Amino acid sequence: MTCFDEDSNPHGMTISSFNTVSLEPPLILWSLKKHSRLMPSSWVELCKKHLIHVLERPQEDLAMHFATVKADQFNGIAHKLAESRTNPG
């Protein structure tokens, strides 16, 4: 799961599970290990929108990267802003 905070800083973490709760209103449920070092992550509450990325088995290294606490989660990870983020209008 990734998001951008109010200062456009990217944040990310690997979640344990993801489920749809409701289509109207759009609600989801995600889980994280109870004693994870990633909780509580204040950015989860600060970000207005979150992206869920579904990874395949060959992307296990990426999942493990975001499953650990790092000062800069995106350091060394190739990424780019989506058109909707760079042009919100």
Side-chain angles (χ1 to χ4, degrees), residues 2-84:
T2 60
C3 72
F4 288 91
D5 64 22
E6 294 173 342
D7 297 323
S8 295
N9 297 312
H11 301 277
M13 71 176 162
T14 298
I15 56 177
S16 302
S17 65
F18 166 81
N19 293 293
T20 302
V21 175
S22 170
L23 294 176
E24 193 58 44
L27 298 173
I28 62 164
L29 170 72
W30 57 271
S31 301
L32 189 63
K33 183 177 157 185
K34 184 176 182 178
H35 299 290
S36 172
R37 294 176 295 160
L38 295 170
M39 274 311 249
S41 294
S42 61
W43 62 263
V44 172
E45 296 173 356
L46 294 176
C47 296
K48 294 181 180 180
K49 294 181 180 180
H50 299 81
L51 299 172
I52 304 295
H53 307 270
V54 179
L55 304 179
E56 296 179 327
R57 184 164 301 279
Q59 296 172 301
E60 185 174 351
D61 289 344
L62 185 60
M64 295 309 294
H65 173 86
F66 282 97
T68 59
V69 177
K70 293 178 175 56
D72 182 359
Q73 291 286 141
F74 287 83
N75 186 28
I77 302 296
H79 66 283
K80 63 180 180 176
L81 296 178
E83 176 71 25
S84 61

